[in-house]
Amino acid sequence: MARAVTTNRKMINTAVAWLIGLLIFFPILWTILTSFKTEAQAIADPPIFLFFDWTLENYSVVQERSDYMRFLWNSIFLAGGSTILGLIIAVPAAWSMAFVPSKRTKDILLWMLSTKMLPAVGVLYPIYLLFIQLGLLDSRIGLTIVLMLINLPIIVWMLYTYFKEIPGEILEAARMDGAGLKEELLYILTPMAIPGIASTMLLNFILAWNEAFWTLNLTAVNAAPLTAFIASYSSPEGLFFAKLSAASTMAIAPILILGWFSQKQLVRGLTFGAVK
Amino acid sequence: MATQQSRSAARIMMAPAVFLLLGWMLIPLCMTLFFSFKKYLPLRGDSMANGLEWVGFANYVRFVSSSSFWPSIQTTLIIVGGVLVITIVLGIALAILLDQPMWGQGVVRILVIAPFFVMPTVSALVWKNMFMDPVNGILAHLWKFFGAEPIQWLSQASLPSLVMIVSWQWLPFATLILLTAIQSLDSEQLEAAEMDGAPVHKRFFFIVLPHLARAITIVTLIQTIFLLAIFAEIFVTTGGAFGTKTLSYLIFQRVLESQNVGLGSAGGVYAIILANIVAIFLMRIVGKNLDA
Amino acid sequence: MGQITLKQVTKSFGNVEVIPSLDLEIGDGEFTVFVGPSGCGKSTLLRLIAGLEDISSGQILIDGQDATSVPPAKRGLAMVFQSYALYPHMSVRKNIAFPLRMAKLHKAEQDRRVEQAAAVLNLTDYLDRRPGQLSGGQRQRVAIGRAIVREPSAFLFDEPLSNLDAALRVGMRLEISELHERLKTTMIYVTHDQVEAMTMADKIVVLRAGNIEQVGSPLELYKNPRNQFVAGFIGSPKMNFIQGEEAAKYGAHTIGIRPEHIAVSETDGTWSGIVSVSEHLGSDTFFHIHDTGLADTITVRAGGEIGFRHGDRIHMTPREDVIHKFNENGLRFT
């Protein structure tokens, strides 16, 4: 039972927590605010916090100059594609590990986890070489597959922990009621697993969206997503804070919104079910 | 638990995931191992087709004896260690704070978690330019406001700056996991300790901290694995200059920038071994949890 | 029809033999209860009949047909699970209709049967709710409803009342018995509670470590337990067992006497001891008696008005005609 606290105590808690929360959030807030300033106001000394001339100019400049939409579309394609592909492969695997466990299930799960820990840089050149050989360099398909593979262990694990929570007796009941494997999947398992599948999708979409090793190293122009779009701003060119902010805001806004929905799943997904 | 039929169905359903990951792991791994024993400089005309010269452990020896090796290990340790200490200490403090009753708890939580969803290239660039720029950055303004000379963050204090950026990205993760762990602490346990006469700081050290031990271990291990592989933050801020070259970044440079594949691959094997040492501990904990 | 025959059925999990070779005949329309302590294999046996587990060897016949390798869905049996195993994402109506939907019955026929089952089980008002919004007893009824609509050849119950509170349990026990009277369908019911077994069964199967200890009607088991285990398991409070000198008087290794077969008196009797605890239920009183020189504790059941208290000396006289005699192997003889 939570204990009642004095209002005073609660007020202090609130003040301290909000102060720290805003401090941590400040870089994001500042980026968003700056994106609406003119370049001159963006570097004004002292900095202007709210009372500047709000403008959308930076957004149109960024879009014109670097074709934001193409990068955005690539990000959506890569994150979405790799998540869906991953789910198609992971759902049956996680299903069978959760409901028909064998002596080796645990070893297989841990082994899958271990592939996630392989340092990417250790296999960078072989993948690079294979991509050249297969003509996949700077292609969306190739990168989708790579992103799917690096997130597959997390997808399998998350689904596994969710499926584990569905009581086995319910599936047995379905079997007794005359449901075959197909009906079992279609009418019982899928509807019950949808919340878990949805959060798995969400988290993996975010992880794929933000992935910044393979997306930077295996793309040039055609397949480059927003991570590369932003990286192209790394060499400063005159006054560019406002434009950088606009570009950054556009790159993170979609995922910030999605991310807020997935806080709880984040813990489970990133700790492989070790903390719930 | 199951019948023969469902068992064979299960095996078939598991196969695609297992084979894909097996391929994803084994093929590049074998190639890296193979290259690490070869002289392979694509820019100087070496290629698979012409056959590569076998050099034994020469690459391994050269990688370790190069003048960049030990500094890169040091940099790696500073970044990983620094970020771990900062995120865990602040994470515990924040988790305890967020666990207290207050108004607008949900909103504060969202504010604190937000940095985790910012893509690494964005956070690195925003920090580099808008905060750490020695002329126009917020921090420069702040220093000037207090009458101090602004710091050349990314060249004079490059490592602390990187640690700061990366800590900002990972603090939400540590906080979130520690908060989840704190919330699972039975409040009756704390009340019992209070009845037994334990003051606040003793309740923290004897009850809260031991309860968090597992979560702290998990945060440490998972972050270590991700931090060892940190890339984009260095790529867009210093490009490996000013002593910010980590082991991963060094390998990246050897392979893609100077195109010495043999040498880079030997480095890659070292990195893989290093990551596996951490991974073994993490797997033990996760494995134990599977049995429970 | 619902006649089930097990022939030399065995089940092992890995190296662990849970059920050594077992033969059992369950007649059509019979209410059979599998009873035994936890871990005796009773649930496994039920799951083998259901087809949820493969048998390691032997044969299962349903209505004379070999069903050994028939999948659960095709055996024509319905099961009520301990956790009820309701589909949480479906309304009560859809839960009950699910087996009919799987059997591809007409929508109209499905509705008719669901309405009918709901009426029988007093669920009509709850048909559009989700299982999560129901009480334990109501969930139990939904699980039964889902079993009834299929018109199975036999019902299998796996400890269905163990999650209910005591009062509800008594009520549901009656409802299931009434259901059996009305449907006259074969029912196999697993429980660890011998009261459920005694009150509901036509035939009780007492299991221990995968072996059938005895099969018979409740009164048969009560009156003529085959061995000490059955004698101790059936009946509440438990039968008193006395060894040593007193047993030797009857030419037995151990003698057993039920608490209700001992008369008490303040003044005289065959045995005597000191009352340790007396439990007054109103209708009955149970005395737990120490220092008898016979066993650690002798339990006696007496009328509600008899008022011995802690520390009183009490005299006991057993009814000689219902003293059970057991040999060294625990087998009963006469």
Side-chain angles (χ1 to χ4, degrees):
Chain A
M1 279 301 290
R3 255 191 313 185
V5 252
T6 59
T7 316
N8 254 343
R9 185 62 205 285
K10 203 170 165 182
M11 268 162 71
I12 296 170
N13 287 340
T14 308
V16 175
W18 274 87
L19 192 72
I20 293 179
L22 285 170
L23 196 67
I24 291 175
F25 188 71
F26 183 71
I28 298 173
L29 182 66
W30 188 247
T31 306
I32 296 173
L33 288 174
T34 306
S35 72
F36 294 108
K37 298 175 187 171
T38 63
E39 289 294 359
Q41 284 171 326
I43 56 164
D45 183 17
I48 312 172
F49 191 64
L50 275 177
F51 303 102
F52 51 85
D53 309 318
W54 291 68
T55 171
L56 284 170
E57 194 195 325
N58 300 306
Y59 286 91
S60 54
V61 171
V62 166
Q63 160 61 17
E64 267 167 44
R65 202 185 61 172
S66 50
D67 201 1
Y68 168 79
M69 292 310 282
R70 187 167 51 84
F71 291 99
L72 174 71
W73 164 239
N74 279 341
S75 271
I76 293 173
F77 185 97
L78 293 174
S82 66
T83 301
I84 290 168
L85 203 60
L87 276 178
I88 292 171
I89 294 164
V91 168
W95 181 89
S96 54
M97 285 195 272
F99 296 116
V100 197
S102 73
K103 268 173 281 173
R104 263 168 299 159
T105 301
K106 193 181 140 187
D107 296 331
I108 293 176
L109 274 168
L110 287 178
W111 166 74
M112 285 188 170
L113 178 58
S114 76
T115 66
K116 175 74 197 161
M117 296 171 192
L118 199 65
V121 72
V123 293
L124 171 61
Y125 197 76
I127 298 293
Y128 185 71
L129 205 62
L130 287 173
F131 263 55
I132 292 175
Q133 295 290 317
L134 298 171
L136 289 173
L137 205 60
D138 201 19
S139 81
R140 284 195 292 244
I141 301 291
L143 201 53
T144 304
I145 292 171
V146 166
L147 290 183
M148 183 273 283
L149 284 168
I150 61 168
N151 284 331
L152 191 59
I154 292 187
I155 304 186
V156 171
W157 266 85
M158 274 186 83
L159 290 174
Y160 172 80
T161 59
Y162 280 116
F163 288 172
K164 261 297 208 216
E165 282 168 15
I166 298 177
E169 279 198 347
I170 286 196
L171 297 184
E172 290 180 348
R175 244 169 273 169
M176 292 298 294
D177 284 346
L181 192 62
K182 198 185 86 202
E183 289 87 0
E184 199 179 315
L185 274 170
L186 204 63
Y187 298 120
I188 307 297
L189 194 83
T190 310
M192 285 185 71
I194 273 180
I197 293 178
S199 19
T200 309
M201 276 183 80
L202 202 59
L203 180 65
N204 279 280
F205 190 84
I206 294 169
L207 290 178
W209 184 276
N210 286 346
E211 205 287 330
F213 181 78
W214 297 110
T215 51
L216 290 181
N217 281 314
L218 295 179
T219 63
V221 185
N222 290 330
L226 289 169
T227 44
F229 163 71
I230 293 298
S232 70
Y233 279 80
S234 58
S235 41
E237 30 192 297
L239 287 177
F240 81 127
F241 278 20
K243 285 191 260 319
L244 170 66
S245 297
S248 298
T249 304
M250 286 198 279
I252 61 174
I255 226 63
L256 270 184
I257 294 162
L258 281 184
W260 286 335
F261 291 111
S262 75
Q263 328 170 17
K264 288 222 176 76
Q265 288 69 43
L266 189 73
V267 174
R268 190 198 285 245
L270 287 177
T271 61
F272 305 97
V275 173
K276 272 182 208 159
Chain B
M1 193 41 208
T3 60
Q4 200 56 48
Q5 259 180 325
S6 47
R7 219 166 272 138
S8 42
R11 245 178 243 137
I12 295 168
M13 287 161 56
M14 216 148 60
V18 170
F19 284 114
L20 276 173
L21 281 176
L22 204 63
W24 168 246
M25 186 180 76
L26 281 183
I27 297 170
L29 201 60
C30 291
M31 287 169 75
T32 296
L33 264 177
F34 174 78
F35 292 144
S36 71
F37 291 107
K38 300 282 187 179
K39 181 173 97 58
Y40 189 6
L41 298 154
L43 291 182
R44 299 208 196 138
D46 291 345
S47 76
M48 300 274 279
N50 298 338
L52 298 169
E53 189 192 334
W54 173 269
V55 293
F57 284 92
N59 287 323
Y60 288 90
V61 176
R62 242 189 88 197
F63 190 86
V64 179
S65 54
S66 107
S67 61
S68 330
F69 177 73
W70 287 109
S72 80
I73 293 284
Q74 200 190 346
T75 305
T76 309
L77 288 178
I78 291 173
I79 291 184
V80 173
V83 174
L84 279 178
V85 170
I86 292 176
T87 52
I88 287 174
V89 171
L90 292 184
I92 292 175
L94 263 175
I96 291 174
L97 179 64
L98 287 177
D99 194 37
Q100 306 296 320
M102 68 177 74
W103 289 289
Q105 199 165 25
V107 183
V108 176
R109 226 176 109 120
I110 285 171
L111 293 179
V112 170
I113 291 164
F116 191 78
F117 299 115
V118 176
M119 59 175 66
T121 44
V122 167
S123 64
L125 272 185
V126 165
W127 276 94
K128 177 189 175 182
N129 291 297
M130 294 166 53
F131 284 81
M132 293 174 170
D133 186 279
V135 181
N136 293 320
I138 293 267
L139 294 175
H141 290 309
L142 202 64
W143 256 243
K144 270 184 277 181
F145 180 77
F146 288 106
E149 181 68 20
I151 301 173
Q152 307 269 339
W153 286 96
L154 283 162
S155 48
Q156 288 173 346
S158 52
L159 269 184
S161 307
L162 258 180
V163 169
M164 201 163 122
I165 297 174
V166 178
S167 298
W168 179 74
Q169 289 180 290
W170 284 93
L171 181 60
F173 174 77
T175 306
L176 203 54
I177 287 178
L178 293 166
L179 179 62
T180 311
I182 277 191
Q183 282 168 343
S184 74
L185 175 62
D186 181 8
S187 67
E188 283 188 1
Q189 242 186 69
L190 285 175
E191 285 171 349
E194 205 178 340
M195 296 294 286
D196 290 343
V200 176
H201 66 277
K202 285 201 174 153
R203 291 206 295 269
F204 174 76
F205 282 108
F206 292 113
I207 296 177
V208 178
L209 211 52
H211 177 79
L212 290 181
R214 218 177 85 92
I216 292 175
T217 320
I218 291 167
V219 170
T220 307
L221 293 171
I222 292 176
Q223 282 201 28
T224 305
I225 286 162
F226 281 97
L227 295 176
L228 281 175
I230 240 167
F231 175 77
E233 291 82 348
I234 302 172
F235 184 74
V236 298
T237 52
T238 62
F242 309 116
T244 56
K245 207 178 291 173
T246 59
L247 183 61
S248 297
Y249 206 81
L250 178 66
I251 299 167
F252 161 77
Q253 284 187 332
R254 289 279 186 268
V255 173
L256 280 195
E257 286 182 8
S258 46
Q259 293 267 318
N260 189 338
V261 179
L263 191 59
S265 297
V269 174
Y270 284 124
I272 290 167
I273 293 170
L274 190 65
N276 269 298
I277 295 172
V278 185
I280 285 171
F281 288 103
L282 178 60
M283 310 249 281
R284 277 230 184 111
I285 296 188
V286 174
K288 244 180 233 156
N289 202 60
L290 269 186
D291 296 330
Chain C
M1 284 292 282
Q3 187 206 39
I4 295 167
T5 312
L6 306 184
K7 278 187 185 165
Q8 286 157 14
V9 166
T10 72
K11 175 66 185 175
S12 308
F13 290 110
N15 297 324
V16 187
E17 193 174 54
V18 187
I19 294 179
S21 183
L22 178 148
D23 290 275
L24 183 65
E25 179 80 32
I26 293 162
D28 182 33
E30 245 175 14
F31 196 120
T32 304
V33 175
F34 294 168
V35 68
S38 55
C40 71
K42 54 191 189 296
S43 280
T44 306
L45 193 58
L46 191 76
R47 294 167 58 83
L48 290 175
I49 295 171
L52 294 170
E53 302 276 359
D54 287 335
I55 59 175
S56 301
S57 70
Q59 230 187 354
I60 293 178
L61 304 178
I62 297 175
D63 292 330
Q65 304 278 323
D66 185 355
T68 312
S69 50
V70 176
K74 304 264 159 62
R75 294 193 182 190
L77 309 174
M79 183 148 164
V80 176
F81 291 83
Q82 186 172 8
S83 66
Y84 319 137
L86 301 180
Y87 310 125
H89 57 290
M90 297 183 194
S91 64
V92 168
R93 184 189 303 277
K94 288 203 166 147
N95 259 284
I96 298 178
F98 188 74
L100 305 176
R101 196 164 142 210
M102 290 299 104
K104 301 201 167 62
L105 250 65
H106 277 297
K107 191 80 186 67
E109 174 67 7
Q110 284 186 25
D111 288 344
R112 194 186 63 76
R113 287 214 214 167
V114 170
E115 297 287 347
Q116 196 182 359
V120 169
L121 294 163
N122 291 323
L123 286 171
T124 311
D125 295 340
Y126 304 98
L127 277 176
D128 294 313
R129 294 206 193 170
R130 293 271 173 107
Q133 301 164 301
L134 301 179
S135 69
Q138 289 164 340
R139 283 181 213 188
Q140 179 67 76
R141 285 205 196 90
V142 177
I144 294 173
R146 195 171 63 183
I148 295 177
V149 286
R150 297 184 57 187
E151 299 173 355
S153 53
F155 290 96
L156 311 178
F157 292 91
D158 188 4
E159 309 215 19
L161 306 185
S162 58
N163 287 336
L164 297 177
D165 65 46
L168 217 49
R169 211 177 301 166
V170 175
M172 282 309 294
R173 211 163 73 195
L174 277 173
E175 283 191 40
I176 294 175
S177 293
E178 278 168 15
L179 195 67
H180 180 244
E181 291 307 320
R182 192 166 55 232
L183 299 174
K184 305 265 186 247
T185 312
T186 310
M187 289 187 179
I188 305 178
Y189 187 105
V190 163
T191 178
H192 61 266
D193 179 354
Q194 60 90 28
V195 177
E196 279 177 29
M198 294 297 280
T199 49
M200 299 167 86
D202 294 324
K203 181 157 96 185
I204 297 180
V205 178
V206 183
L207 288 155
R208 177 169 62 158
N211 285 304
I212 294 181
E213 294 290 315
Q214 191 170 2
V215 178
S217 72
L219 282 183
E220 251 170 65
L221 298 194
Y222 179 81
K223 283 183 184 151
N224 303 312
R226 200 170 66 85
N227 57 29
Q228 215 176 317
F229 175 78
V230 177
F233 196 79
I234 299 292
S236 173
K238 273 181 71 165
M239 182 185 280
N240 298 297
F241 291 112
I242 301 163
Q243 291 182 338
E245 233 176 278
E246 195 65 27
K249 283 187 199 163
Y250 295 86
H253 179 264
T254 308
I255 57 169
I257 179 78
R258 294 196 184 276
E260 52 271 39
H261 296 154
I262 299 175
V264 292
S265 148
E266 274 175 69
T267 50
D268 54 7
T270 319
W271 304 324
S272 83
I274 306 292
V275 173
S276 157
V277 175
S278 54
E279 298 173 313
H280 297 277
L281 302 185
S283 57
D284 300 295
T285 310
F286 298 131
F287 296 112
H288 300 273
I289 299 156
H290 287 179
D291 301 319
T292 55
L294 305 164
D296 281 350
T297 310
I298 295 285
T299 310
V300 174
R301 174 181 177 175
E305 276 82 48
I306 297 176
F308 288 95
R309 291 208 227 159
H310 173 77
D312 289 349
R313 176 154 291 275
I314 189 168
H315 296 271
M316 301 164 279
T317 311
R319 257 177 66 190
E320 295 288 335
D321 60 320
V322 285
I323 288 184
H324 302 272
K325 292 179 275 187
F326 303 95
N327 66 18
E328 308 77 57
N329 301 324
L331 282 178
R332 180 170 165 272
F333 65 96
T334 43

